[in-house]
Amino acid sequence: MANSSICIKRANILTEKGFKICNVIIEKDKVIEVSDKIPETFKGEVIDANGKTLLPSFVDMHVHLREPGFSYKETIATGSLAAAAGGFTTVCTMPNLNPAPDTLSKLQIQLDIIDKDSRIDILPYATITKGRSGKELVDYESLAPFVAGFSDDGSGVQSPKVMKEAMEGIAKTGKILAAHCEVESLLNGGYIHAGEYALKNNHKGINSESEWKEVERDIKLSEETGCRLHICHISTKESVELVRKAKQKGLKVTCETGPHYLTFNDTDLQEDGRFKMNPPIRSIEDQAALRQGLIDGTIDVIATDHAPHSLEEKSIGLEKSAMGVVGLETAFAAVYTTMVASGLMSLERLIEVMASIPRKLLGLNELKYIKPGDDANLVLVDTNEKFTVNPEDFKTLGKATPYEGMTLQGKIKMTIYNGNPIYNSL
């Protein structure tokens, strides 16, 4: 039950004139006042931020919460708790589920679990093709009102003909097509980046072309069809450049990358399943291109690709472990440490890529500055606090993270959803 009124006292917030210490008054689910003084008539709960930074809460356009079908890896309940602990109040779930949400009746199974168990807003993606098989199109018009967009994430649509027809259909709905770009014929059994570490340690590599060739194809198809194309988890320098050129042409193309691609490159790999994900952590040159793309606006959003697995699935080395790592609870600190505390990027830009732009792409109320009338979806962070990542502290059922044991800067202290504190570590 939401508190009727809360005052977040002495919070450092972003205004149109820069950061400023203010008091933020919340009534029910809205921000109603931002002021230097607490009104004498205020009778609600006072939370002293003590100079910590109050931001719009984060939105993750790409997570795997595993339910229905794989609840031993994660559930809507545990995934939404992890999201809250990471400062997220909206996440978009990918459709590699059982059953895959390719009809309204199958989607309803997921929607019912969300309605019952979620602590935050969860917007599912429906599939592009039936069963995510890449062959037969789903009924986009019937599904569109209930979903964030359409994706076959976990596998790319291999047929150009099918993808073009899909884009034509999705374009009519105005929704996003979130494309997992991967040419399966170029994978050759690879499971980490085809680079320095793979060569030294006799691992089969995934070449960069397997990603960027399909990025290139899908951008071309987007231009032909007018479909809103959102490219998932880009990891290569070639993909960054293709998106940059698409934006220069004015195409309806956006993209995301994950925190781990910014922090790590393939010289950081270890013989451990917690460094295995798809796409893989790539070269130093790719890492540099992704960082630059985030800074200059080529990359629109940060998305975690939060992908929990069981301990058994992630504890059998680089070659045999399942693809995917968790990321909701480390995302802010990872990006803050790598990009902001290092001086590469401003905190204002971080707000854009983790809070404002994802909302805009999803058609939600775009939040950047905290002001009266805004939804009271907020996160309080201590940008100075450092901590060591211990997966045993995570709310998610998945514990595999490349950040394990690392010291990161920027601690989530409180998450407020619709005016209600749903996570508190003050």
Side-chain angles (χ1 to χ4, degrees):
M1 189 76 178
N3 289 304
S4 58
S5 50
I6 297 173
C7 171
I8 306 193
K9 175 183 169 186
R10 296 192 296 165
N12 184 35
I13 72 164
L14 181 60
T15 71
E16 293 186 23
K17 295 179 180 177
F19 280 94
K20 181 182 175 185
I21 300 292
C22 291
N23 304 297
V24 177
I25 312 291
I26 296 166
E27 289 278 0
K28 296 183 179 176
D29 60 353
K30 296 288 183 185
V31 174
I32 64 157
E33 189 173 337
V34 176
S35 61
D36 295 332
K37 292 182 179 179
I38 302 173
E40 290 181 15
T41 54
F42 181 77
K43 302 295 183 191
E45 180 186 2
V46 177
I47 297 167
D48 193 349
N50 199 21
K52 297 179 184 67
T53 301
L54 189 68
L55 306 172
S57 60
F58 308 134
V59 173
D60 193 337
M61 292 180 66
H62 189 140
V63 302
H64 300 266
L65 299 192
R66 305 302 193 195
E67 202 174 21
F70 307 95
S71 55
Y72 72 94
K73 298 175 191 271
E74 187 82 292
T75 65
I76 295 294
T78 59
S80 67
L81 281 173
F88 294 90
T89 61
T90 301
V91 300
C92 302
T93 52
M94 286 298 174
N96 49 346
L97 302 167
N98 187 19
D102 56 12
T103 65
L104 270 177
S105 60
K106 291 177 186 174
L107 175 66
Q108 193 61 49
I109 296 167
Q110 187 185 5
L111 292 174
D112 288 345
I113 302 169
I114 291 167
D115 188 53
K116 180 169 65 81
D117 292 342
S118 182
R119 305 292 186 89
I120 62 166
D121 289 333
I122 295 179
L123 307 175
Y125 285 96
T127 62
I128 297 170
T129 62
K130 290 187 178 176
R132 297 175 44 253
S133 64
K135 294 174 182 173
E136 190 179 349
L137 304 184
V138 305
D139 183 349
Y140 303 120
E141 192 176 342
S142 69
L143 288 160
F146 307 99
V147 297
F150 298 90
S151 183
D152 273 2
D153 186 62
S155 51
V157 177
Q158 299 304 294
S159 162
K161 180 176 181 291
V162 171
M163 191 55 141
K164 184 172 184 181
E165 289 172 355
M167 286 194 184
E168 287 169 345
I170 293 168
K172 292 173 185 173
T173 72
K175 291 285 182 177
I176 286 168
L177 187 155
H180 174 114
C181 290
E182 186 172 52
V183 182
E184 291 173 4
S185 63
L186 296 176
L187 294 178
N188 302 318
Y191 46 86
I192 64 169
H193 176 60
E196 188 177 325
Y197 188 91
L199 284 171
K200 280 184 180 176
N201 296 278
N202 201 29
H203 286 296
K204 289 182 179 177
I206 300 174
N207 61 46
S208 296
E209 190 178 11
S210 64
E211 175 180 300
W212 68 257
K213 283 297 287 185
E214 197 148 295
V215 170
E216 185 177 55
R217 181 203 75 178
D218 286 354
I219 289 172
K220 183 173 180 290
L221 292 175
S222 170
E223 183 173 18
E224 291 172 6
T225 61
C227 182
R228 293 176 63 206
L229 173 65
H230 180 75
I231 302 165
C232 296
H233 45 50
I234 68 168
S235 68
T236 71
K237 59 183 186 292
E238 293 90 351
S239 296
V240 175
E241 190 55 32
L242 284 163
V243 172
R244 185 175 282 123
K245 287 177 178 173
K247 286 177 178 285
Q248 287 167 355
K249 288 178 76 174
L251 304 184
K252 296 177 184 176
V253 175
T254 56
C255 71
E256 68 192 35
T257 197
H260 40 280
Y261 303 118
L262 302 168
T263 304
F264 302 102
N265 60 66
D266 71 335
T267 67
D268 299 310
L269 294 179
Q270 298 176 27
E271 292 296 310
D272 192 316
R274 64 193 178 89
F275 286 89
K276 187 177 183 184
M277 72 288 293
N278 188 27
I281 290 166
R282 297 202 184 266
S283 71
I284 293 172
E285 293 78 17
D286 293 309
Q287 179 189 35
L290 292 165
R291 289 178 173 184
Q292 182 55 41
L294 191 68
I295 293 162
D296 68 24
T298 302
I299 296 172
D300 299 88
V301 299
I302 292 290
T304 65
D305 195 6
H306 175 83
H309 293 286
S310 68
L311 177 63
E312 292 74 21
E313 290 167 321
K314 289 300 288 184
S315 60
I316 42 181
L318 269 182
E319 181 180 355
K320 295 183 178 176
S321 289
M323 293 277 198
V325 295
V326 297
L328 282 166
E329 292 167 80
T330 53
F332 171 77
V335 179
Y336 189 85
T337 304
T338 301
M339 301 300 296
V340 181
S342 65
L344 292 175
M345 190 176 87
S346 68
L347 180 55
E348 290 89 334
R349 177 67 181 148
L350 184 151
I351 297 168
E352 288 179 349
V353 299
M354 291 189 70
S356 307
I357 297 172
R359 282 185 169 90
K360 182 180 180 183
L361 295 181
L362 293 166
L364 308 175
N365 289 335
E366 191 180 352
L367 303 177
K368 182 174 181 181
Y369 310 112
I370 296 171
K371 59 189 185 303
D374 284 348
D375 297 330
N377 293 320
L378 305 166
V379 57
L380 187 67
V381 300
D382 187 337
T383 55
N384 296 314
E385 185 174 343
K386 295 182 179 181
F387 65 100
T388 301
V389 177
N390 180 1
E392 294 308 310
D393 297 335
F394 288 171
K395 309 290 185 189
T396 174
L397 297 182
K399 307 301 179 189
T401 169
Y403 293 99
E404 181 178 350
M406 283 183 65
T407 298
L408 297 179
Q409 183 175 337
K411 195 88 166 73
I412 306 294
K413 305 306 288 186
M414 179 177 283
T415 303
I416 296 170
Y417 167 65
N418 286 346
N420 188 36
I422 56 169
Y423 173 79
N424 187 352
S425 69
L426 279 171

